[in-house]
Amino acid sequence: MAWVNLNKDAATEDLFETLLRRMGDVSRRFVDAIGPDDRTPAITDTRLTREVMPRMHALDLDLEQSIYVVASDSPFMQTVLGWLVWQGGETVTCRSVSPRDRLWYAPEGSYALIDVDALGGIVEACDDILRLRKHRPDIMVILLSHDFLRHEFGKERLPLADACLRLPCSFANLELAMVEAELNNQAWQLRVEDLGADA
């Protein structure tokens, strides 16, 4: 293999600029082609590097379960996606909670992180979320919104969600919500079974 001595002349600089420009064009076309629903989302926050991104501490949190991120276009949800991918999570993006969307066909025991604000607020999204909770009680639902007064990790809102987060929130809060959602979802599934038995 021959080594090429690249001197810093004008021709070499022009060549490198052309190559970089072409690489940028290819990258943009690739990002456009995969679209927002791909399993490998772009990390838009350049600060999310391996040096600064915090690791999860919950050793019993099963990241082999699929994590569906609904309405993922906001900068915060893009940051969440990047963090989950860095943890090794299998993420899937969805546009809505509609029965026509892929969330309804998620594997059993999947997580659903739902940006309520991006869906038009809790009033607008409520019917679809209630329907999802009734027909897919095995999906662990975490709602995120700026309109919530506080984080909710208890069982008070089980008909709507297994956990709720007031935005903005930290990665630690999100991790705690995922842990508590797993516990609360077990109670929700039992409640749905009891309601079905009584019907």
Side-chain angles (χ1 to χ4, degrees):
M1 178 178 178
W3 293 93
V4 179
N5 184 19
L6 295 176
N7 297 318
K8 282 191 172 182
D9 55 16
T12 303
E13 291 182 1
D14 288 345
L15 174 64
F16 274 110
E17 286 180 9
T18 302
L19 287 173
L20 289 173
R21 196 163 44 246
R22 288 182 180 173
M23 288 171 62
D25 291 339
V26 170
S27 299
R28 281 192 293 275
R29 283 197 293 271
F30 176 75
V31 170
D32 291 341
I34 62 175
D37 280 341
D38 195 79
R39 288 174 176 262
T40 54
I43 300 174
T44 58
D45 191 338
T46 55
R47 294 170 300 172
L48 289 178
T49 64
R50 295 192 176 192
E51 288 75 22
V52 300
M53 195 176 296
R55 274 286 188 192
M56 282 188 171
H57 297 288
L59 300 179
D60 56 345
L61 194 59
D62 185 6
L63 287 179
E64 293 183 2
Q65 301 287 5
S66 296
I67 305 170
Y68 285 71
V69 181
V70 180
S72 59
D73 293 336
S74 71
F76 177 79
M77 294 304 279
Q78 285 291 312
T79 302
V80 169
L81 275 170
W83 181 66
L84 292 170
V85 169
W86 168 229
Q87 309 304 322
E90 177 73 17
T91 61
V92 183
T93 58
C94 305
R95 290 189 173 90
S96 73
V97 195
S98 164
R100 296 182 300 275
D101 214 309
R102 64 180 70 185
L103 175 59
W104 277 67
Y105 309 97
E108 183 177 349
S110 297
Y111 288 95
L113 308 182
I114 302 174
D115 184 349
V116 175
D117 298 340
L119 296 179
I122 192 64
V123 174
E124 185 72 25
C126 184
D127 288 342
D128 281 339
I129 295 173
L130 288 172
R131 196 178 300 121
L132 175 71
R133 295 290 282 169
K134 178 181 178 181
H135 294 285
R136 289 300 310 271
D138 59 289
I139 294 177
M140 295 172 278
V141 173
I142 300 172
L143 302 182
L144 302 95
S145 174
H146 289 87
D147 293 334
F148 294 154
L149 295 178
R150 63 182 183 280
H151 303 321
E152 180 57 65
F153 303 121
K155 298 179 174 62
E156 290 79 4
R157 299 183 184 180
L158 277 183
L160 273 176
D162 298 299
C164 298
L165 289 173
R166 183 185 188 280
L167 296 179
C169 70
S170 66
F171 289 138
N173 289 138
L174 180 56
E175 182 178 353
L176 178 59
M178 293 177 73
V179 172
E180 294 300 321
E182 188 171 351
L183 298 173
N184 292 339
N185 187 256
Q186 297 171 13
W188 174 243
Q189 290 190 58
L190 290 174
R191 188 180 299 185
V192 171
E193 287 178 12
D194 291 341
L195 292 172
D198 294 339

